[in-house]
Amino acid sequence: MIKLNGNGVYLVDGNELLEDTPEHQGRIAELCPRGKDEARRGTITYGILAAHNTGLIAGGGNPTGSALHLNFDAMTSHDITYVNIVQTAKVSGLEEFPVPYILTNCHNSLCAVGGTINEDDHVFGLSAAKRYGGVYVPPHLAVMHSYIREACAGCGKMILGSDSHTRYGALGTMGVGEGGGELAKQLLRQTYDIAYPKVIAVRLNGKVRNGVGPQDAALAIIGAVFKNGFVKNAALEFVGGGIAALPLDFRAGIDVMTTETTCWSSIWQTDDAVREFLTLHGRAGDYRKLSPAGIAYYDGAIDIDLSAIKPMIALPFHPSNICEIDALLENPKDILREVEKNSEGLLENPAVKLHLVDKVDGEGRVRIDQGIIAGCAGGTYDNIMAASAILASKALKAREDNKAFSLSIYPGSQPVFLELSKNGAAASLIANGAVIRTAFCGPCFGAGDVPSNNGLSIRHTTRNFPNREGSKPSAGQIASVALMDARSVAATALNGGYLYSAESLGIEEKRTPYHYDEAPYKARIFNGVGKADRNAALQYGPNIVDWPEFEALGDSLLLKVVSYITDPVTTTDELIPSGETSSFRSNPVGLAEFTLSRKDPEYVGLAKAVLRAEGERLKSNRAGMEKELPELPSVLEKIHGIAGCEGLELVDIQTASAIFANKPGDGSAREQAASCQRVLGGAANFAHEYATKRYRSNLINWGLLPFTLEGEPFKKGDYVFIPGVRRKIADREPSLTAYILSVNGKDAPPEIPALELKTPELTNDEREIILAGCLINYNRNRMRNSKG
């Protein structure tokens, strides 16, 4: 079904893969006389990156390792990110948006939590679009990525979004999801800096089976590459003869899920299906054919036979935890028991147990409590039409014993909803028991359709991380999500809420033409691009709070490890939970109270104690420091035992908190996973590696040192002392010597262990941001320097 090749491959004439091995060198030399470096330039990725790079790719030869300084054609954010981004850019001198910036409202659309604060954010967004010249898409009108596909993406473009699922590759656009700091940089006409990525070919051949949808193909890919890191931070380039038979919605459904592979971006070859889509949406001029050169070199390949993919299910608690639905139905108890076992270490409350085996009834059927088809992945026209046809088919005898099962469908945009209304599909869905809602991303992150305690929800959405559906194990609650394609979700609904594969229905999918009507957009969307009005005032609500002041990096740094997470991977949902926190994203101080609240409830209190101690240090009050952290005299005694540090006093050493996690930052692009740590006085992360480039960028933009290390040399509560840290960062030292100062009583070793901390791949600007204390300080310093 899926084969991986990590040795490097040549793509010949757009479809043949030629492995870069000794036995093929003769033919390779014949096909590519100018060598591998020239063939690297034959990828679609190279052409787009070169066109958006402000400088030349190094050497005119091999682009690998070259530094890219990119400018984007457009940017987009939603209503739990754009307030902080605009606030950050404003204090750094923002005058107008330099590129189209689309502010959508699909996350905090439900204004039921926190009084007026969600709608206050929306009012702020509209005022920012007027003042700085942006686009404002009101709540319930469109999911962020659905709107960008309809109104903005085009062949050869690059779009930066403050959401991890910023993926428009199926339309020939390289979409990049990042934290808000990177968008603020673009607003201030600074570049997005990255080393030239690995480029991986994804060759599609064959034709999908009836009953198989885009989520099935996406889950199969994620399952093949996530755990081995095969495409981490790479650009995926979709090629091959199988693409032509895939409708555009199908391609987009695969593409948006590439985020879950941990790749950096994606791009597809384009054809008449893309031309037709863009023409239908009034943007025929945005089409151009994108395809690899006759010979193109890739750093690896994923080879996929579409005809071998069957309906899939991603079981809790990750999109990579996949199996075929048929396989699950053949052996449900053993498979679900294994999921229960594997979940034990993921739930922070040991008293809460997952009960999935209970869903298997006496006939071996798997009972499902809820179905959802929603968002940028599920809420497309083709997906919903397929679900409607399945529900209307009556291909199964109706069951009466699971009336508790519910099905909710969220069309991705009002134009899609309008067409479903015109062609009768919406009426059919409603008549067959589905509830149709407006365009809203809530089910993707726990802000809508939260299941009951011990509920199992099947969803065509993007993620099924622990607690992301909205449950709170710390309060004794647990629910879980399995990801499936809309077709099998509908088949399960038709089966009375008992798990079923759409392929087993034997229904041939027939596509119904889509007629785009932009009337809902014309009636409501504000488009101020190129019409910035500096007299328009930003409209603030009581929950919209400025960032606090942050210190520059000190000469020496004393870090207390206040959270120690040993899970293989830590998601941004665990670092700062989604769902219940969303309404507070415009209030940095208020939001910080939720940091690690699900994973480590002690974190906030411990971090605040360190923050108060640092406040006392800034007042040269040693007694105040020791009141907050009574162990500091013992720590200082150990520091005096380090050569060259004999004369240091507590008030000479910057004190901050830090967390350790094996591999933090999987999942969402939300910058708050880092900024909340900074608000609470954090100054570093310790990790074996970082799950995504975007989380590492978030750390740096908020002044947190992204250290990597070997092993697990310290414990929660230990201190890590880094003498001369400011000078070492400024001098571009790739590694720093630190010292572990244990205060854990009898477990403390008599000697002071040294520790090597690495800070690889920091650019000059990243070093300056860290030295300044955060991106805001960095830009303020630049403004001061520019004024003399």
Side-chain angles (χ1 to χ4, degrees), residues 6-73:
N7 295 325
V9 298
Y10 290 85
L11 182 71
V12 183
D13 294 331
N15 195 58
E16 180 189 359
L17 289 179
L18 192 62
E19 190 173 1
D20 188 13
T21 56
E23 59 265 34
H24 294 141
Q25 292 309 305
R27 186 171 176 219
I28 289 171
E30 180 182 338
L31 291 169
C32 191
R34 294 187 178 183
K36 183 183 298 182
D37 289 349
E38 182 65 21
R40 287 183 185 274
R41 295 168 173 262
T43 65
I44 304 171
T45 300
Y46 177 86
I48 294 177
L49 293 180
H52 290 82
N53 190 31
T54 59
L56 295 175
I57 293 180
N62 182 0
T64 303
S66 297
L68 299 175
H69 306 282
L70 302 172
N71 286 326
F72 290 81
D73 298 293

Side-chain angles (χ1 to χ4, degrees), residues 271-526:
D271 57 16
D272 285 345
V274 179
R275 185 200 303 273
E276 290 167 7
F277 180 93
L278 293 172
T279 301
L280 178 67
H281 290 80
R283 297 188 292 114
D286 283 336
Y287 176 78
R288 64 185 175 93
K289 185 171 179 58
L290 300 177
S291 59
I295 182 79
Y297 181 82
Y298 296 86
D299 299 288
I302 304 170
D303 197 15
I304 302 173
D305 178 4
L306 293 169
S307 66
I309 294 174
K310 293 174 64 65
M312 308 293 293
I313 183 169
L315 293 163
F317 284 107
H318 198 275
S320 64
N321 190 21
I322 64 163
C323 71
E324 294 177 354
I325 293 175
D326 287 347
L328 174 60
L329 292 176
E330 289 174 4
N331 187 22
K333 287 191 175 181
D334 287 347
I335 292 174
L336 295 178
R337 189 174 289 113
E338 185 68 16
V339 175
E340 290 178 350
K341 179 181 176 182
N342 293 338
S343 73
E344 291 177 1
L346 297 176
L347 304 176
E348 65 277 7
N349 186 347
V352 174
K353 303 294 183 183
L354 192 62
H355 294 284
L356 291 178
V357 177
D358 295 354
K359 301 296 181 184
V360 183
D361 71 5
E363 300 178 39
R365 303 177 302 179
V366 180
R367 188 182 73 256
I368 307 296
D369 300 292
Q370 180 194 72
I372 305 286
I373 299 170
C376 55
T380 63
Y381 176 75
D382 282 357
N383 285 337
I384 298 173
M385 288 299 298
S388 177
I390 287 170
L391 286 171
S393 70
K394 308 299 183 185
L396 294 172
K397 183 179 178 181
R399 297 180 183 272
E400 300 296 329
D401 51 351
N402 191 13
K403 289 292 188 181
F405 178 82
S406 63
L407 175 62
S408 295
I409 296 176
Y410 295 72
S413 72
Q414 283 292 83
V416 169
F417 198 169
L418 180 60
E419 179 66 4
L420 295 170
S421 300
K422 288 179 178 180
N423 68 19
S428 178
L429 285 164
I430 293 169
N432 284 299
V435 175
I436 303 185
R437 307 184 189 274
T438 55
F440 176 43
C441 296
C444 290
F445 65 93
D449 277 311
V450 180
S452 63
N453 189 47
N454 288 316
L456 174 59
S457 178
I458 53 172
R459 303 186 175 191
H460 191 159
T461 56
T462 55
R463 291 194 175 120
N464 60 338
F465 295 165
N467 322 137
R468 189 176 171 93
E469 81 299 312
S471 67
K472 299 179 182 179
S474 60
Q477 309 165 8
I478 183 62
S480 52
V481 166
L483 299 180
M484 289 167 44
D485 189 82
R487 291 149 187 81
S488 290
V489 173
T492 300
L494 188 66
N495 197 35
Y498 291 92
L499 186 65
Y500 206 80
S501 162
E503 184 183 21
S504 298
L505 294 174
I507 299 173
E508 182 178 355
E509 184 170 332
K510 297 179 180 179
R511 296 188 66 242
T512 303
Y514 175 60
H515 305 92
Y516 175 68
D517 186 344
E518 65 176 342
Y521 291 162
K522 281 188 172 182
R524 295 294 315 281
I525 288 176
F526 172 82

Side-chain angles (χ1 to χ4, degrees), residues 2 22 84 647:
I2 296 181
N84 286 162

Side-chain angles (χ1 to χ4, degrees), residues 607-619 621-622 624-629 632 650 653 655-656 719:
K608 281 184 173 180
V610 180
L611 178 62
R612 290 193 297 268
E614 175 62 8
E616 296 300 318
R617 186 192 75 85
L618 293 173
K619 295 185 287 189
N621 183 3
R622 173 170 173 168
M625 295 180 70
E626 294 176 2
K627 180 180 178 181
E628 298 295 341
L629 301 172
L632 282 179
L650 285 178
I653 306 168
T655 304
Y719 285 81

